[in-house]
Amino acid sequence: MTPEDHRSDQVMGSLLPFQRQMVEELIREDGMCVMSAGMGWQKAVAVILRLHMERRREAAQQGVVLVLGCADWQRSMLHRELARMETLSTDQAAISADSSAAGCQTADGANQAQSNGSNADDMQLLMPYDVTNEVSAGSRIELYRSKPCLFVTTRILVVDMLNARIQGQHIAGMVIMNAHRVTDSSGEAFAVRLFRMANKHGFVRAFTDQPTGFASGFNKIEKTMKALYVRRLFLWPRYQAAVKDSLEKNECELVEMWLHLSPPMSAIYDAISDLMDSCVKELRKSNKIDTSELTLEHGLFKSFDDIVRRQLDSVWHTVSPKTKQLVQDLRTLRALAEYLLRFDAVTFLMYLENLRATEGVTSVWLFHDAAHTIFEQAKRRVYTVQSGSKVAAGKRKRAHGATANGASAGGPQIEAVLEEMPKWGLVQQVLQEVQQERLRLQTDTLPEADSLQASAVKQQIGSHLFATEELLRRWRCSSPHARPFFCLPAASPGQQIQGERTRGASRGLQGQGPL
């Protein structure tokens, strides 16, 4: 076995058999890897980056490896995975050194320990660096020259290649993330085209874990592969023999947690179902659509849009305006059913108000009785209006000291409800269980033979916890209003945010504009 093969075995030691086969195929030949969701794309990409960083450190590779199309949360996961691999490799090397020494410290053992420490320091220096718009042009030139791997945005890379800040010959290869988003006119395709014009021998490896992204359009996979200049397509579905064997060997325990909707959310969901049922019944009256697949159950899934579009694309110019509006209303109602579980109460109400302002004239479902139920229940999740009776006014006066300035005792009073999302209670419960399991693994004393396995288990649990935290962070940062209230800190910033939302609800009720 050559030293390079031994190094590859050490790096890929933590991979499952199908992940190892996936990496070996991509190393042998460039291509696009399409895998199912949840199969550990970050492990495969991290191993490939680690192997190229090792080759660059030993002067077996010239040039920098560039990672394109990577989102912020994906970069964080890759950084975390590379750090986890380094920690696991260090632990494995320490255990091997202890077992080979057999209780006595020799000169070779000391040299090996010193070598392992220096390797860890070198790998810390060779960790991927993020190139953003905050990095100056001169600093980017130095990074391209000195670093083995870089996370760079497509726009910055294209500008640097056009301005000759980096030559194609100085690029060892490119790793393209989210390949399902690549088109002929995308920035990734342009960057790969510039790279291939100057370097015919560099590698291009693309990854995606969203195979449904290739379902829309005509011949999208072939167009994506042509844009990336790759010839091989590697498909890794869950039902493949290698994947199935690896997953069934250590079958995980499935815990199903039911989500109980609040009474207002249940009323909104029932109203949306009634509206969709009415639209489907009206759509069945059209003689241009096959009504066998038009059911309320199909209307709740994304495939319903594809069913209707596939039947109406060829005759869309002959369809009546009423039928077109019904199709649009069904799409809007299906989005509402999805946003009810995704958005918090304030964001959902704000979306409804904007929807009424933009589609209030042409939409059909807004004039239905069930639409009134949706708006009323959505407002009830955010605030309630209390009548100004003397008894209620007296209770509020005793509770809060005095009524607000300028508000009469008999006038309506607005009380903020700010209903929290039911799913965050379940997520919090799961995170607490994961944290307790991590603490248990840290405190338990295991035999020396099981220490490596325990370290791997701890790292795996930490990876899952980090992925969950990243999903929460993405959801919270997707909108300035999309933040669960119980997750806000107890300090003044959280109170300011909650106070702003309460004042926004009051302004919307008083007619001073939407939330």
Side-chain angles (χ1 to χ4, degrees), residues 271-272 275 352 356 364-377:
I272 292 175
L275 289 171
L352 283 177
R356 181 161 56 182
V364 177
W365 68 272
L366 282 174
F367 300 96
H368 198 277
D369 294 338
H372 179 72
T373 303
I374 294 177
F375 282 91
E376 287 297 324
Q377 297 297 329

Side-chain angles (χ1 to χ4, degrees), residues 88-254:
L88 192 61
S89 177
T90 304
D91 295 342
Q92 184 177 5
I95 293 175
S96 301
D98 292 342
S99 60
S100 61
C104 29
Q105 183 71 26
T106 60
D108 294 337
N111 293 334
Q112 184 177 2
Q114 183 178 1
S115 176
N116 292 334
S118 62
N119 291 341
D121 295 338
D122 293 340
M123 280 305 303
Q124 193 68 22
L125 295 175
L126 297 179
M127 287 294 288
Y129 191 85
D130 295 340
V131 178
T132 61
N133 55 357
E134 299 178 356
V135 182
S136 62
S139 300
R140 293 201 300 269
I141 295 175
E142 182 62 26
L143 289 175
Y144 291 141
R145 188 179 306 160
S146 59
K147 295 293 182 179
C149 180
L150 294 175
F151 291 104
V152 59
T153 61
T154 305
R155 180 176 298 180
I156 292 177
L157 178 61
V158 169
V159 171
D160 289 344
M161 294 181 73
L162 293 177
N163 291 331
R165 294 191 181 101
I166 180 173
Q167 302 293 335
Q169 297 84 355
H170 299 157
I171 301 176
M174 292 184 176
V175 176
I176 312 297
M177 302 300 301
N178 300 316
H180 60 281
R181 300 179 182 174
V182 177
T183 60
D184 295 335
S185 58
S186 63
E188 290 82 3
F190 187 37
V192 173
R193 190 181 306 120
L194 295 175
F195 169 61
R196 280 301 182 206
M197 289 172 58
N199 191 341
K200 304 293 184 181
H201 304 289
F203 65 86
V204 175
R205 291 157 187 160
F207 293 87
T208 180
D209 62 342
Q210 299 185 20
T212 55
F214 296 102
S216 61
F218 178 74
N219 219 7
K220 188 174 181 179
I221 289 183
E222 183 178 352
K223 294 179 181 178
T224 302
M225 295 177 64
K226 184 178 179 181
L228 295 176
Y229 290 85
V230 294
R231 297 183 178 180
R232 287 294 305 274
L233 176 65
F234 302 101
L235 298 177
W236 289 93
R238 289 184 178 274
Y239 55 81
Q240 189 169 348
V243 180
K244 189 176 180 181
D245 294 341
S246 298
L247 297 180
E248 289 182 352
K249 185 177 298 183
N250 297 316
E251 189 173 358
C252 59
E253 180 183 358
L254 177 62

